[in-house]
Amino acid sequence: MPQPQPARPGDPLARVDTPALILDLDALDRNIAEMAAFGSRQRIAIRPHAKTHKSPDIALLQIAAGAVGQCCQKVSEAEVLVAGGIGDVLVSNEIIGTAKLDRLAALARRARIGSCVDHRDGVDALASAARRANVTIDVLVEIDVGQRRCGVAPGEAAVALARHVQAAPSLRFRGLQAYHGRAQHLRTHAERREAIASAVAAVKTTHLALKSAGIDCPTVSGAGTGTFDLEAASGVYTELQPGSYVFMDADYARNSGADGKPFTRFGHALFVLATVMSTPEAGRAVVDAGHKVLSVDSGMPILRDHAGAVYQRPADEHGVLDLTACNHRPGLGDQVLIIPGHCDPTVNLHDWYVGVRGLAGRNPHVEAIWPVAARGAHF
Ligand SMILES: Cc1ncc(COP(=O)(O)O)c(C=O)c1O
C-alpha cells in the first residue's frame, strides 16, 4: 500500500505535509534540457539512467527532450518503465536467476530490451529465457574499465564472450558496456580525466580486438554525471548513461568542474521538505527527517536556505540541526528544504514526488504528484 499523497495539485508549498520528496520542476526542466543540448551538440546519444528517478513520468520528459531511451539496473525498474510507455530500455547490469530472466524476456515482447553479460553461463541463461519467450534481446558485453565491480577484462576475454553471444540465435550482440563508477565522484576534473583516459584506452583496445575478430560493435555505452563530457570527447563511446544530473545531490555538488570551480552545470532539483518539530535549546533544532527519508551513505545532506546550519546525527525519524553558526534560524513549525546527500537511495525511500513550480519565487505551488513507481527492494 503506498502512503497517502502529501499534497494536492494547486496547494501552496506551505501546505505540503512533511516529510515529502519535493521536485523543483523548473530546475528539473533546465537539467533535462542542458543534458539534451549537450548530446545534440556532441552528436552522442543520451540514455539517462532511471535508477536515479524510478519514474516513467520523468523518463518521458527526458525522451521528449531527445533521449534515445532509458537505462535501469533491475528488472523491476524495466517493468515499470515499459508499463509507463518507454519503448527502449537497457538493463545496464547482469541479470542472474530464472525468475528474473523470464520477467526480462517477457518485456521484450512489448519493448526493445537490452541487457549486459560478463559470463558465458549468464549468456546461456539469458539466451534460454529469450528463446522460451520467443523474443530477441540486445546484449552488451560489460568490460571492467576500472570500477572493479562487474565486467570481464578488456580485450580478448570480451571478444570471446561476444562470440558466445553471437552464437545464440535469440540474442543480438550490440557492443560494450563500459561504465566507470569510481571515477564519478573523484573531486577534481583532472582526477576524473585521468580515470576516464584509462577507461577509454581499455575500450579502444577491446574495440580493436573485436574488429580484428570481424565482430561489429555499434554501441559503446557508459558514463555518469561526473564524467559524461570526457566519455563524449573520447570518440569511441556512442551513448551516455547519466542519472544524477537530473536531480543533483549534495555529494555531486562537492565535485569541481573543469574550471576548478564548484560543479554547477546542473542545479539542485530534488529536496526533502521537513518540519522543525523541536527546538530544545538555542542553536539546536530537530526536523522530522532522518534515515527513513534521507540517505546519508554519501555524506550528510545540506540545507538550501539556512547558510551555516549543519544537518547531523540522523536517527530513524529525526535529524538534528546545529544552528550555532546560522544567522537565519528556522523556528518551531517552520519548514526547511534539505538537499539529499545521495539522490538515488533517497528517492527509493519515498512513495511520491511532489512537483513544485516557482520554488525559487514568492509563490511556490504544487503542480504535479507523481508516484516513485519503481521504488522498493524488488529486483
Ligand atoms: C551502470 C551505470 N550507469 C550510469 C550510472 C549513472 O551515474 P550517475 O548517477 O552518477 O550519473 C550508474 C550509477 O550508479 C550506473 O551504475
Side-chain angles (χ1 to χ4, degrees):
M1 276 287 285
Q3 297 289 302
Q5 299 184 11
R8 281 181 305 194
D11 282 348
L13 180 66
R15 202 176 297 155
V16 177
D17 200 3
T18 65
L21 192 64
I22 302 291
L23 249 188
D24 177 343
L25 295 175
D26 303 302
L28 179 80
D29 289 348
R30 282 195 297 274
N31 290 346
I32 290 173
E34 172 70 16
M35 186 59 82
F38 176 84
S40 71
R41 264 198 319 276
Q42 301 292 318
R43 297 176 192 283
I44 191 160
I46 307 291
R47 180 183 287 280
H49 219 299
K51 75 190 277 290
T52 302
H53 54 65
K54 297 170 159 285
S55 158
D57 296 288
I58 297 172
L60 289 169
L61 294 177
Q62 292 171 317
I63 288 168
V68 295
Q70 293 278 297
C71 304
C72 62
Q73 295 293 67
K74 311 196 289 180
V75 180
S76 59
E77 292 167 344
E79 287 170 331
V80 167
L81 291 169
V82 171
I86 311 303
D88 185 339
V89 178
L90 167 67
V91 182
S92 59
N93 206 357
E94 282 67 20
I95 299 301
I96 298 295
T98 307
K100 292 184 186 67
L101 286 167
D102 282 341
R103 285 164 46 216
L104 184 70
L107 288 179
R109 299 199 189 104
R110 296 153 60 201
R112 180 172 183 172
I113 297 293
S115 188
C116 296
V117 294
D118 68 356
H119 195 283
R120 289 170 68 94
D121 293 352
V123 174
D124 293 343
L126 181 63
S128 302
R131 205 170 46 242
R132 281 194 295 279
N134 200 21
V135 295
T136 306
I137 292 179
D138 289 348
V139 174
L140 300 184
V141 167
E142 178 162 11
I143 56 172
D144 180 358
V145 291
Q147 178 160 19
R148 310 293 308 275
R149 190 169 67 182
C150 304
V152 295
E156 288 311 318
V159 174
L161 201 57
R163 274 210 192 91
H164 196 62
V165 173
Q166 283 191 320
S170 58
L171 304 180
R172 197 185 300 119
F173 174 72
R174 294 294 301 165
L176 300 173
Q177 165 73 10
Y179 173 69
H180 194 338
R182 293 210 298 194
Q184 302 308 315
H185 297 270
L186 295 174
R187 290 303 174 212
T188 68
H189 196 259
E191 291 169 296
R192 299 196 296 278
R193 194 169 49 231
E194 196 184 323
I196 296 304
S198 97
V200 166
V203 171
K204 285 186 173 164
T205 303
T206 312
H207 211 267
L208 259 180
L210 286 166
K211 198 167 171 203
S212 308
I215 301 174
D216 193 28
C217 178
T219 302
V220 177
S221 198
T225 301
T227 65
F228 66 95
D229 55 330
L230 299 165
E231 281 90 343
S234 71
V236 65
Y237 281 76
T238 64
E239 186 175 275
L240 306 177
Q241 309 179 346
S244 304
Y245 80 97
V246 79
F247 293 154
M248 271 303 284
D249 54 32
D251 191 38
Y252 258 124
R254 291 187 263 270
N255 275 13
S256 53
D259 55 5
K261 296 186 180 147
F263 179 59
T264 53
R265 183 166 193 165
F266 304 99
H268 294 296
L270 186 83
F271 304 91
V272 166
L273 185 70
T275 300
V276 175
M277 53 184 282
S278 177
T279 50
E281 61 177 335
R284 173 153 55 100
V286 182
V287 291
D288 57 355
H291 286 299
K292 290 182 185 170
V293 290
L294 279 164
S295 162
V296 298
D297 64 302
S298 299
M300 288 297 151
I302 51 182
L303 270 71
R304 190 189 79 154
D305 301 315
H306 302 276
V310 181
Y311 180 101
Q312 54 184 211
R313 295 194 284 121
D316 286 355
E317 279 83 18
H318 302 85
V320 176
L321 302 182
D322 177 351
L323 300 173
T324 44
C326 177
N327 292 327
H328 171 47
R329 296 181 178 184
L332 191 69
D334 286 350
Q335 293 183 334
V336 294
L337 282 164
I338 302 174
I339 302 166
H342 190 183
C343 49
D344 306 29
T346 296
V347 165
N348 198 47
L349 295 167
H350 292 259
D351 289 281
W352 303 102
Y353 286 108
V354 179
V356 173
R357 250 331 138 194
L359 193 64
R362 287 169 171 275
N363 184 24
H365 64 277
V366 177
E367 182 175 288
I369 306 283
W370 293 329
V372 184
R375 71 161 295 194
H378 187 39
F379 211 110

